[in-house]
Amino acid sequence: MTDDGTPRRYLKVQQHLQDLVTGGEYQPGDKVPSERELALTLGVSRMTVRRAVDALVRMGLLTRDSTAGTRVSSPKVRRLLNHAHLHSITQMVAATGGRAGGRLLEFQTGVASGRVAEKLGVAAGSPVVVIRRLRLVDDVPFCLETSYLSAQRVPGLAAQDLLDGASLYQVLADRYGIAAAVGESVISVSVATAAEAQALNLPDQHAVLLYRSVVQDTQGQPFEYLTSVNHPNLVVFNIGEGRSAPSS
């Protein structure tokens, strides 16, 4: 089979390599075959393989080293649960040497469903602020987060308050006197929707780490219900020290 250099050929090679990396055949730190080996195995040119590998490096799935070769990336984000000092994702990313970033995807006021109302301790149909963000480490997407806040507790909160990577928890503390304390959290494995997979650069219906938390303030009152869809190759969860809120 010869390489015709078409974008379709390059994308097929990229998808093949991505399936190998995310499918469990390689573990973090494992060295992947050289470009020459991959080109021979797949019957394409080394240039096509190089383009595919470059794309996976940009996505954070592979790491290229001039001496050690190309390896599967280790997790870039360690999310600490119940840590006494590190509360926000921005802090956690910085603590592990990464550069945190984010994109505000949605900010709107809606009504609380039965489930959200139960988590926030409000009546069903009560107004809630819904905030959806894509979180980044070194410009690589690693999780999609949706926060539900009781609108009565955050009057005047606007999308502009969260632009340029501003911390939600810092805004809540400075403007509303809401200090995050204990988080009751659950971690499970789920399957990414088409939109989630696209946002996180994953194959359709790929497994993801689903993190859900009811965050209370220092008075023991719930103020946020958080759902977080995490890239399984880029995020690991660790138990931290003490009891504290999870992230924002």
Side-chain angles (χ1 to χ4, degrees):
M1 179 171 60
T2 60
D3 181 17
D4 58 13
T6 63
R8 184 176 181 182
R9 177 63 57 81
Y10 146 67
L11 291 174
K12 287 179 66 176
V13 172
Q14 178 182 330
Q15 188 62 58
H16 173 78
L17 296 177
Q18 187 171 341
D19 289 344
L20 290 179
V21 172
T22 61
E25 184 167 338
Y26 291 96
Q27 299 300 310
D30 285 352
K31 187 174 180 179
V32 300
S34 67
E35 292 178 0
R36 179 177 179 277
E37 292 174 299
L38 288 169
L40 290 173
T41 300
L42 300 175
V44 297
S45 71
R46 290 183 63 177
M47 180 176 295
T48 296
V49 171
R50 185 168 301 168
R51 288 183 62 193
V53 171
D54 286 344
L56 295 183
V57 169
R58 290 193 299 271
M59 291 165 58
L61 297 180
L62 295 178
T63 301
R64 183 186 280 116
D65 187 284
S66 58
T67 57
T70 303
R71 298 181 180 275
V72 177
S73 298
S74 298
K76 289 180 174 291
V77 179
R78 294 188 179 276
R79 300 190 64 166
L80 305 179
L81 307 183
N82 298 330
H83 196 282
H85 305 292
L86 297 181
H87 294 186
S88 73
I89 281 185
T90 300
Q91 292 174 320
M92 294 178 192
V93 170
T96 53
R99 178 169 48 85
R103 299 173 192 160
L104 181 63
L105 304 180
E106 178 184 348
F107 186 103
Q108 65 174 350
T109 300
V111 296
S113 65
R115 177 179 179 82
V116 171
E118 178 185 2
K119 299 296 184 182
L120 291 178
V122 300
S126 297
V128 292
V129 175
V130 183
I131 303 168
R132 190 162 181 261
R133 293 173 290 174
L134 180 65
R135 312 305 290 263
L136 312 174
V137 55
D138 299 331
D139 295 324
V140 176
F142 69 88
C143 80
L144 275 168
E145 293 203 326
T146 304
S147 295
Y148 301 88
L149 307 170
S150 171
Q152 294 181 344
R153 298 201 63 181
V154 291
L157 185 66
Q160 288 75 11
D161 298 319
L162 301 177
L163 297 179
D164 300 323
S167 167
L168 171 61
Y169 282 7
Q170 194 64 54
V171 173
L172 295 180
D174 293 345
R175 184 181 301 178
Y176 303 102
I178 300 174
V182 175
E184 299 178 1
S185 308
V186 175
I187 303 171
S188 59
V189 176
S190 184
V191 175
T193 66
E196 292 166 348
Q198 182 177 18
L200 296 175
N201 294 321
L202 286 169
D204 288 345
Q205 297 187 324
H206 196 278
V208 290
L209 299 174
L210 179 60
Y211 174 56
R212 290 169 289 188
S213 182
V214 178
V215 188
Q216 300 176 1
D217 60 22
T218 52
Q219 305 304 312
Q221 297 299 312
F223 69 87
E224 178 190 28
Y225 176 51
L226 172 73
T227 64
S228 177
V229 180
N230 295 262
H231 194 303
N233 297 92
L234 301 179
V235 178
V236 294
F237 288 88
N238 293 131
I239 302 298
E241 303 172 356
R243 291 176 62 80
S244 159
S247 65
S248 191

